[in-house]
Amino acid sequence: MQVALLGPEGTYTQQAADRYFSAFDADYTPVFYSTITEIFDSDVETAIIAFENSLGGGVEGMIDLLRERDATITGEQILEIEHCLLSRERDLEAIERVRSHPQALTQCSSLVREHGWETVEAASTARAASEVGPNEAALASALAGEVHGLNVLEEGVQDTNSNATRFLILNGPTDGVNDKTSLILDPSEDRSGLLHSILGCFSGHGINLSYVQSRPTKRELGDYYFYLEAETDRKSEAFGKARQCLETYATVDVLGSYPSAGRP
């Protein structure tokens, strides 16, 4: 089975994929892409994408892609993130610049400020590790360091240990009890109390929401749609009743039901 994921080799996405597919005893072949858009445009049906981080919040543009490309979510994986300071140098004092994905740079800002290093943004943490030059270091996984033959100058350099990323699996294998449903609501009107009415469709049927995010529809200024995650299966009686209620206020697009990954 081929799986599309953000490359190059050694990304946290690859670690999450290894963990998720090993749970199914499924052999998979990673197909690496340079950008998230390329993943959605590819012919590879199954994919794994980073969706949100406990420190940096949602991954920019991801909800729009889920909506625009009519994605089907079949699972999720939570991965604890531990950034390492990787370099071809062996001495911390030799470092002048540090490379990484913008989120990783933010998550390790205390270390960067402490040393006064110049920062260089990269498309991914693993890409940063592959591009490290003289007097430079990368913030990436230990796996990326192994792949690119780098020295680990320091481990666990993130500002806080409560750093975890949630990944979504698209069109992948799944089993077990589905207890989470992702859906998009595109309201048919804009009026006072509309969001309250929408949320009431869930609370009125005893359904908890674990994630709610508004996004511009791009039709006009001030026009929004909503991405939500409900703690129930789309096949449950409660969700069926909630959906009937929701359809009086908005167009409902269910992206999929899947087992919750829980907390790390």
Side-chain angles (χ1 to χ4, degrees):
M1 175 178 57
Q2 290 187 323
V3 178
L5 65 161
L6 190 65
E9 186 179 2
T11 59
Y12 290 109
T13 305
Q14 184 180 5
Q15 288 188 16
D18 289 345
R19 186 173 299 181
Y20 184 83
F21 292 105
S22 66
F24 294 93
D25 293 324
D27 292 330
Y28 84 98
T29 301
V31 181
F32 296 108
Y33 294 90
S34 299
T35 67
I36 295 297
T37 301
E38 289 178 356
I39 291 175
F40 278 89
D41 287 341
S42 75
D43 294 329
V44 180
E45 182 178 359
T46 303
I48 180 168
I49 56 173
F51 183 73
E52 67 166 334
N53 177 265
S54 58
L55 303 181
V59 176
E60 184 177 0
M62 194 60 67
I63 291 176
D64 290 344
L65 283 169
L66 290 172
R67 176 189 181 224
E68 294 165 3
R69 306 306 174 87
D70 195 27
T72 299
I73 303 171
T74 56
E76 64 177 8
Q77 178 69 53
I78 296 176
L79 183 72
E80 292 182 341
I81 304 298
E82 181 174 81
H83 294 306
C84 296
L85 187 69
L86 310 171
S87 180
R88 302 194 186 282
E89 309 290 346
R90 296 185 178 277
D91 191 345
L92 195 66
E93 279 64 40
I95 305 303
E96 299 174 359
R97 292 173 300 279
V98 61
R99 296 176 176 269
S100 199
H101 186 274
Q103 278 201 341
L105 291 170
T106 298
Q107 292 162 12
C108 303
S109 59
S110 295
L111 177 72
V112 174
R113 285 197 306 269
E114 177 186 347
H115 293 278
W117 291 326
E118 177 187 351
T119 59
V120 181
E121 294 186 355
S124 69
T125 55
R127 180 72 65 186
S130 72
E131 296 172 344
V132 166
N135 303 114
E136 291 185 345
L139 295 169
S141 67
L143 174 61
E146 293 176 12
V147 168
H148 299 289
L150 302 177
N151 302 310
V152 179
L153 300 184
E154 290 191 20
E155 297 179 334
V157 296
Q158 61 273 5
D159 294 348
T160 175
N161 290 328
S162 59
N163 186 5
T165 295
R166 182 163 65 101
F167 297 83
L168 297 180
I169 291 80
L170 309 180
N171 303 312
T174 184
D175 59 17
V177 177
N178 294 330
D179 57 3
K180 181 181 280 190
T181 297
S182 292
L183 64 154
I184 285 175
L185 303 178
D186 192 349
S188 56
E189 60 177 333
D190 182 15
R191 62 169 176 79
S192 176
L194 177 62
L195 181 57
H196 180 270
S197 298
I198 288 174
L199 296 178
C201 293
F202 294 99
S203 62
H205 294 92
I207 299 174
N208 186 49
L209 295 176
S210 58
Y211 193 100
V212 179
Q213 179 70 53
S214 64
R215 291 291 302 159
T217 63
K218 303 178 183 179
R219 291 190 290 259
E220 60 179 290
L221 185 65
D223 195 21
Y224 296 93
Y225 72 91
F226 300 95
Y227 170 87
L228 307 95
E229 292 177 354
E231 295 183 348
T232 186
D233 188 348
R234 65 187 298 177
K235 296 180 180 178
S236 70
E237 181 180 357
F239 184 80
K241 292 179 178 179
R243 179 168 185 165
Q244 287 183 329
C245 175
L246 291 168
E247 288 174 343
T248 64
Y249 304 110
T251 299
V252 180
D253 182 14
V254 177
L255 301 182
S257 290
Y258 46 94
S260 170
R263 300 297 179 185

